Amino acid sequence: MERLDDLVDEETRNQVMLNCGYNCALVNSSPIEKAKARRKKFKTEDEFLQAEQKKPPTGTRLTREGNIVYQFYTPRSFTHPMRCYCSLLRGLPEGETASLAYCQCSRGFVQKYWEGILGRPVKVELLESSVCGAQECKFAVHL
């Protein structure tokens, strides 16, 4: 990742990692398919989002402010705490950090997750990252 940071501009490296997240969502589609099945149980998007806020999947939580859903990942909350859900950074030692560019992959996954659930495009911003020093990852999903 350091080489990518050194060799290409921020926009290019973010797009490279975003595409990795899109591919990860294709390969690891189970969470998306489970969320789509949960969505089908509700008549409206708002009802679904309220239910997800009350009982989110393990290791996540949601808050909503108008047309923005904030999705938080807390990988340290699992039975076997980890720094990141991604197997490549799962074992990152405490005190070490990774490039924020790496986490654009997660942004791509979160984008495909919500687009799959909602059946339409969404914009996702990466706000905080657990491998960059935050206690949890935070994404803004613009509905």
Side-chain angles (χ1 to χ4, degrees), residues 100-118:
L100 188 59
Y102 187 86
C103 300
Q104 298 302 317
C105 180
S106 294
R107 181 172 69 99
F109 186 93
V110 169
Q111 180 181 341
K112 291 303 178 187
Y113 177 87
W114 284 99
E115 288 178 349
I117 294 168
L118 302 176

Side-chain angles (χ1 to χ4, degrees), residues 2-121:
E2 288 175 9
R3 260 179 91 182
L4 185 64
D5 284 345
D6 290 343
L7 294 174
V8 299
D9 61 89
E10 182 179 9
E11 183 178 341
T12 301
R13 68 179 169 261
N14 286 348
Q15 190 60 54
V16 167
M17 296 310 297
L18 192 64
N19 287 334
C20 287
Y22 296 161
N23 288 327
C24 183
L26 288 173
V27 173
N28 300 292
S29 62
S30 176
I32 298 169
E33 294 306 316
K34 288 177 184 177
K36 287 166 70 174
R38 289 192 310 274
R39 169 63 183 97
K40 289 180 182 177
K41 296 177 184 179
F42 298 92
K43 290 182 182 178
T44 68
E45 191 174 285
D46 284 335
E47 289 174 355
F48 168 72
L49 291 171
Q50 288 173 3
E52 289 290 289
Q53 282 180 269
K54 288 179 184 173
K55 190 177 180 191
T58 302
T60 68
R61 66 184 172 89
L62 298 176
T63 61
R64 184 175 181 187
E65 294 177 16
N67 288 330
I68 300 175
V69 170
Y70 293 97
Q71 181 166 2
F72 298 84
Y73 285 111
T74 311
R76 291 182 171 132
S77 68
F78 281 152
T79 305
H80 301 290
M82 59 186 89
R83 293 284 305 277
C84 185
Y85 289 123
C86 178
S87 61
L88 297 175
L89 287 182
R90 192 168 286 159
L92 185 68
E94 287 296 325
E96 285 190 37
T97 59
S99 167
L100 188 59
Y102 187 86
C103 300
Q104 298 302 317
C105 180
S106 294
R107 181 172 69 99
F109 186 93
V110 169
Q111 180 181 341
K112 291 303 178 187
Y113 177 87
W114 284 99
E115 288 178 349
I117 294 168
L118 302 176
R120 61 182 164 80

Side-chain angles (χ1 to χ4, degrees), residues 123-137:
K123 177 186 171 193
V124 175
E125 294 176 87
L126 170 64
L127 302 176
E128 295 178 7
S129 166
S130 65
V131 296
C132 293
Q135 288 300 306
E136 58 191 355
C137 302

